[in-house]
Structures are given as C-alpha cells and as structure tokens.
Amino acid sequence: MVTAETAVVLPVLLVVLAGVVAAVVVVGAQLRCVDAAREGARAAARGEDPAAVATLARRAAPDGAVVTVGGDEEVRVAVTARIAPLGPVPLRITVTAEAVALREPDGGIP
C-alpha cells in the first residue's frame, strides 16, 4: 500500500519542486534586472554616455539582456531579459525592470 501511495505522490512532489526552483530563478533574474537598471540610471545621471551606461547595465544584468537608455532631464534605463527558468525545458519568461534618475546639474550628455 505504501508503494502505491508513493508512486502517486512522487510525480506531484517533483512538479512542485520544479515550480519552486523556477520561481526562485525568475525572482533572481528580476532582482538582477532591477540592480542593473538602477546602476545604469545612476551612471546616466552622472553624465556617462548612453553606450557606456548600456555596457555597465549589461554587466549586472542576466545574460542576453536588452538595455535601453533615454530621457533628457530624467534619465530612464530599462532592462529586459528572457530567461529559461527550467533550463532545457522550452519555457521562456520575460523579466523587465526600469529605473529613473534625475540628471545631475553638471551631468549633460556629450
């Protein structure tokens, strides 16, 4: 009887475990995107050129992330990444973060 119950419960436990692992991976990628956007916004507010801001943000972002930089008085940096939380399983999730910072008085774009 125990063997039959285990055979029924084990697949459910594996699915729950895979869901928990996927959730942790997605949350981790989201936090990396938030950190990358904030770091990029701080650099853009200091007056760094957009290419340098994008490079700086990409270093902190998940692999393959797309960084967009814009704004005049308020600089906006958006980081978007598509991740595969379960590795080889063909499931892709997009995580996005955006940060806004006021440009410093002497931090104009060259």
Side-chain angles (χ1 to χ4, degrees):
M1 223 152 100
V2 172
T3 305
E5 291 170 352
T6 303
V8 171
V9 172
L10 190 59
V12 173
L13 289 177
L14 289 176
V15 168
V16 169
L17 179 63
V20 169
V21 168
V24 168
V25 170
V26 169
V27 168
Q30 176 67 34
L31 290 174
R32 288 184 66 193
C33 284
V34 168
D35 289 342
R38 286 180 181 168
E39 191 168 334
R42 281 192 302 268
R46 286 191 310 259
E48 300 284 335
D49 69 355
V53 170
T55 301
L56 186 65
R58 264 191 225 99
R59 276 191 273 169
D63 293 336
V66 176
V67 177
T68 57
V69 180
D72 291 325
E73 186 66 27
E74 283 186 342
V75 289
R76 293 181 181 273
V77 177
V79 178
T80 303
R82 286 189 50 83
I83 60 164
L86 294 176
V89 176
L91 170 69
R92 301 270 186 238
I93 296 177
T94 303
V95 291
T96 302
E98 183 177 82
V100 179
L102 289 174
R103 191 171 304 280
E104 293 182 8
D106 59 348
I109 292 180

